[in-house]
Amino acid sequence: MTIDYSQARELMVEQQVRPWDVLDLRVLDVLARMPREAFVAQAHRALAYADMELPLGHGQKMMKPVVEGRMLQALDLQPSDEVLEIGTGSGFISACLGDLARDVLSLEIQPELADAARARLEAAKLGSNIRIEVADALNWQTQRHFDAVCVTAAVDTVPNQFLQWLRPGGRLFVIQGTSPVMQALLVKADGSTESLFETDIDYLQGAAPAPHFQL
């Protein structure tokens, strides 16, 4: 059976993303154009536009489209923005960020996922303004500052350095808490925090809560 991906994309936007309060026309436009099927494994392409997480290997998953849409909307990216993405994963969000902003640096802890994401971006002729670096964001150091920091996996507590990488007026999207109820947060450079929605996703490697032992 041949799948009409452009129709699947349109249905995803109209039936999943928009009803979940994603109303930013730029975000809806990029999700309606970006070939999500090009960023998932061949075995999962039929599910590329389904309302579900998809496995990427190395214990990582691709977010649901609705969470991706809310995240992109919350960041309110401008064409001049420089963005740091923590957790490249498939490279799909990297591509969306690159479409909405001027420059994207994406960190991925797994070299194989970083290589695969680079290859997907290149094959789709996307990502001329995206650089993927193999790094553990929890131990990464830089003198650069960014207009937006986008964390694509959950943390138990928000690391201070994530906020220190923000420029004045910058914003951080991060999902924090303990499964099964986590909060998606938008944290501003001035320290103000807005709670956006509840969800439940896997932790960033090294950012899960310490296990509690019960006697």
Side-chain angles (χ1 to χ4, degrees):
M1 184 182 75
T2 304
I3 297 172
D4 183 341
Y5 286 117
S6 61
Q7 183 183 32
R9 211 172 294 132
E10 191 178 318
L11 290 172
M12 176 194 75
V13 168
E14 294 304 323
Q15 296 180 2
Q16 298 174 47
V17 181
R18 195 191 289 269
W20 226 50
D21 292 330
V22 179
L23 305 174
D24 185 317
L25 294 178
R26 295 172 309 147
V27 171
L28 293 172
D29 175 63
V30 76
L31 291 175
R33 287 186 290 105
M34 197 61 67
R36 205 169 190 267
E37 72 279 4
F39 291 87
V40 301
Q42 189 70 41
H44 301 123
R45 286 203 168 171
L47 300 172
Y49 295 96
D51 182 25
M52 62 189 295
E53 294 180 327
L54 294 174
L56 298 174
H58 299 277
Q60 295 192 25
K61 299 189 187 89
M62 193 175 189
M63 289 176 167
K64 290 182 178 182
V66 290
V67 176
E68 294 170 336
R70 285 291 293 270
M71 176 174 66
L72 292 169
Q73 176 172 267
L75 287 168
D76 189 26
L77 296 172
Q78 303 304 309
S80 60
D81 281 350
E82 295 182 31
V83 183
L84 174 66
E85 179 187 29
I86 296 174
T88 311
S90 70
F92 175 73
I93 288 297
S94 317
C96 293
L97 295 170
D99 190 282
L100 293 164
R102 183 172 71 83
D103 182 77
V104 178
L105 173 59
S106 185
L107 306 182
E108 174 53 57
I109 198 168
Q110 296 289 347
E112 295 89 346
L113 289 180
D115 288 343
R118 285 191 200 103
R120 287 169 177 147
L121 287 166
E122 190 172 330
K125 294 183 168 52
L126 298 164
S128 60
N129 61 337
I130 300 166
R131 185 162 64 88
I132 298 171
E133 190 173 312
V134 176
D136 175 359
L138 300 176
N139 296 298
W140 185 68
Q141 295 183 328
T142 185
Q143 299 302 312
R144 276 187 76 179
H145 291 85
F146 301 87
D147 300 291
V149 176
C150 172
V151 188
T152 64
V155 297
D156 180 39
T157 56
V158 179
N160 283 334
Q161 69 264 35
F162 287 13
L163 292 168
Q164 291 167 359
W165 294 331
L166 292 175
R167 286 189 174 131
R171 53 264 177 226
L172 163 72
F173 176 92
V174 65
I175 294 171
Q176 180 187 16
T178 306
S179 182
V181 181
M182 299 174 175
Q183 286 289 333
L185 305 173
L186 187 71
V187 187
K188 303 281 183 68
D190 63 9
S192 61
T193 301
E194 179 185 354
S195 183
L196 301 171
F197 58 92
E198 287 186 356
T199 188
D200 184 19
I201 66 171
D202 290 343
Y203 286 103
L204 192 68
Q205 191 168 320
H212 295 286
F213 296 102
Q214 293 181 328
L215 295 175

